[in-house]
Amino acid sequence: MQNNVLILDFGSQYTQLIARRVRELNIYSEIKPYNNPPKDLSSYKAVILSGSPHSVRGENPPHPDLSEIKGKKPLLGVCYGAQYLAHFNGGEVGQSNTREYGRANLSMVKEGEPFLEGVSSDSQVWMSHSDTIKKLPEGAIRIASTHDVENAGYKIEGEDTYAIQFHPEVYHSTDGKKILENFLVKIAGVAQTWTPDAFVETTVAALKSKIGDDRVILGLSGGVDSTVAATLLHKAIGENLHCIFVNNGLLRKNEYTDVLKQYEGLGLNVKGVDASARFLDALEGESDPEAKRKAIGRVFVEVFDDESKLVENATWLAQGTIYPDVIESVSATGGPSATIKSHHNVGGLPDYMKLKVVEPLRMIFKDEVRRVGASIGLSAELLGRHPFPGPGLAIRILGDITPEKVRILQEVDHIFINGLREWGLYDSVWQAGAMLLPVNSVGVMGDERTYEKCVALRAVESTDGMTADWVHLPYEFMQKVSNDIINKVKGVNRVVYDISSKPPATIEWE
Ligand code: XMP
């Protein structure tokens, strides 16, 4: 792809945000680990070095060979990237005297500097570092300072090399996007042509050449991601795409039949497989969240294995994995990082399956998936569907799972979600669902004492599932839904509403 931007990842928690901001400028970018950079750099018009948890002063700091990049292509170092360019080019990096986390304001911006055009002289920037650049590298000129950080920005004379200590990629750096735009568009001359249509075109072409005449099986979930992935693959390889929609017994009420019907209209080659009993058997007596996810992941793989054998010459397994699934499960550098939840659809397949994995949406975020879906003509209703986790209701039933608990939760969820639709609230909520708590509480119904289950309702707003806040649903709506649930769902006598944000909570309870 022409017009590509390379982001060399040194393991910062913000690296994916750089990619996102760059794509918001309609410019495509790819993140590659610093220790395994692409061999052929010809398609990259500019390179960005990310931040890092490492220190250049530590033992074995990341130190890739930039001889084919520095001075030859426009280069921007961010945070560690800026320190790296200083430390290994004759500058000096030392420990900061003051804590430099969070908000700061620029105190000096070099006049007439195209890199900082349109950036106000007191612009707010976001810092997150404990080292600071004490002496600039050879040939460098300071272009920005803050009150505490003298060398907050510099450039190398005679090169298109720029470096900033602060993070332009976070929203809290108010002119951050402008700085990235200045660098990529003004300095590097990258064209702003990355649009959903362009993504579809290049992805379909790439899928065609990658897969050729091979056959692919794809697990549809009914959600936006797998549907968009399937539609892209269908455009690329037509009937060689074999979709499988598995009923894991943990879907929403009526979802299995509704979703199969929905796919009939899309022209996809879909087979429904009801494996409910297999999943519920595997989950019997299991109450640990990660063990439940793993069990479900394992059975999914087994079902796919069985199904793939029925499709002659199937060599690929396609998945609708999107970027947040990837970054919350493994670090972008491929190394071990804090695994928050082992999303079941990430992590590949056991060797014995011999299927190669193809993930057309692996590098894009949820909102981008929706934009891509709209550009390939999927209906607003389908694209507007709330995300639903692969392990389904299993991670919304806290503790062990029984068919009776699944039934109860399906009924509760149905009343809640239908209520949101009827009250015109569904589209203003990013994701909603109900959790069945492992708690019985005392109630009174028709003069009788009850001792029954409690459910928690959760509705959040978010853009990408990485951070989320609870939605202020109208009290009248909550009152109606709570009444309906307690009156109609046998086994539930109490409803609560979850008012936690992510972080520190997560969206799902398990
Ligand atoms: P959390 O609970 O991590 O959820 O804040 C973020 C988003 O991811 C979904 N989620 C999952 N999706 N497999 C999935 O396919 C999983 O194991 C899983 N866990 C959470 C969750 O529904 C939300 O949209």
Side-chain angles (χ1 to χ4, degrees), residues 439-499:
V439 171
N440 275 34
S441 75
V442 175
V444 51
M445 275 169 151
D447 294 337
E448 297 247 350
R449 177 187 188 274
T450 59
Y451 187 59
E452 292 179 335
K453 293 259 172 291
C454 174
V455 290
L457 305 183
R458 180 112 167 104
V460 296
E461 53 190 37
S462 176
T463 50
D464 49 24
M466 300 277 288
T467 55
D469 208 355
W470 57 282
V471 179
H472 295 215
L473 292 174
Y475 280 177
E476 297 72 24
F477 168 75
M478 304 232 258
Q479 183 184 36
K480 170 85 171 84
V481 164
S482 157
N483 262 341
D484 281 355
I485 291 172
I486 294 174
N487 287 333
K488 292 182 184 163
V489 186
K490 201 165 168 296
V492 174
N493 69 354
R494 196 173 292 268
V495 176
V496 298
Y497 187 57
D498 181 351
I499 54 168

Side-chain angles (χ1 to χ4, degrees), residues 25 33 54 59 92 101 108 113 154 217 224 237 244 268 324 327 332 352 371 386 393 416 435-436 478 488-489:
L25 294 167
H54 293 276
E59 264 177 46
E92 190 191 326
Y101 291 100
M108 184 284 282
E113 174 50 58
Y154 64 86
I217 53 171
V224 178
I237 60 163
I244 295 160
L268 296 173
I327 52 191
Y352 70 82
R371 284 167 60 204
H386 291 173
L393 299 180
F416 183 35
M435 322 290 157
L436 186 65
M478 304 232 258
K488 292 182 184 163
V489 186

Side-chain angles (χ1 to χ4, degrees), residues 229-247:
T231 315
L232 286 171
L233 279 155
H234 188 248
K235 272 180 180 292
I237 60 163
E239 286 297 297
N240 278 346
L241 173 69
H242 295 255
C243 300
I244 295 160
F245 179 50
V246 178
N247 184 2

Side-chain angles (χ1 to χ4, degrees), residues 224 370 379-387 421 426-427 429-430:
V224 178
R370 291 207 169 104
S379 72
E381 195 199 334
L382 197 157
L383 294 174
R385 282 184 76 155
H386 291 173
R421 286 192 198 280
Y426 186 86
D427 290 335
V429 168
W430 192 79

